[in-house]
Amino acid sequence: CAGKARRLKQAKEEAQAEIEHYRLEREKEFQRKQQAAMGSQGNLNAEVEQQTRRKIQGIQSSFQKNREKVLRQLLMLVCDIRPEIHENYRVSG
């Protein structure tokens, strides 16, 4: 009877060790999958950031290239004044 109880206790301890080993393996696998998913997420973030930088650089270069032309056009429109009498104006008298 004592041998049987000792054997049951030993089997229970072995089962607990096996369960713990299995749990650790599953946890490691989960960590690997999580790292892989987060790694791809990090790559997407880096790619989006790089595209954003390229777009900003393109906008800035376009601004620098067209700035003088636009300023000249604005100044021409503002400074080129031709006074004319409006067609609805009536001289009374």
Side-chain angles (χ1 to χ4, degrees), residues 27-60:
E27 193 171 304
K28 286 179 185 175
E29 183 179 339
F30 173 75
Q31 293 293 333
R32 279 194 303 271
K33 287 182 179 182
Q34 188 177 26
Q35 285 295 333
M38 293 304 285
S40 67
Q41 188 81 11
N43 291 344
L44 287 176
N45 287 342
E47 188 176 325
V48 166
E49 197 170 312
Q50 189 178 29
Q51 286 178 355
T52 303
R53 282 191 194 126
R54 277 190 297 228
K55 285 181 182 180
I56 289 173
Q57 287 174 347
I59 290 169
Q60 287 175 340

Side-chain angles (χ1 to χ4, degrees), residues 19-93:
I19 289 169
E20 183 64 19
H21 177 73
Y22 179 76
R23 186 186 66 76
L24 288 173
E25 275 187 31
R26 299 303 287 175
E27 193 171 304
K28 286 179 185 175
E29 183 179 339
F30 173 75
Q31 293 293 333
R32 279 194 303 271
K33 287 182 179 182
Q34 188 177 26
Q35 285 295 333
M38 293 304 285
S40 67
Q41 188 81 11
N43 291 344
L44 287 176
N45 287 342
E47 188 176 325
V48 166
E49 197 170 312
Q50 189 178 29
Q51 286 178 355
T52 303
R53 282 191 194 126
R54 277 190 297 228
K55 285 181 182 180
I56 289 173
Q57 287 174 347
I59 290 169
Q60 287 175 340
S61 76
S62 176
F63 167 76
Q64 292 298 329
K65 187 172 72 174
N66 296 318
R67 180 173 134 177
E68 292 297 321
K69 180 180 174 184
V70 170
L71 282 174
R72 249 184 274 116
Q73 287 178 346
L74 283 173
L75 286 173
M76 280 178 48
L77 289 171
V78 170
C79 296
D80 187 22
I81 300 171
R82 296 186 183 144
E84 298 174 354
I85 297 177
H86 195 272
E87 63 186 38
N88 292 335
Y89 180 75
R90 293 189 183 137
V91 179
S92 57

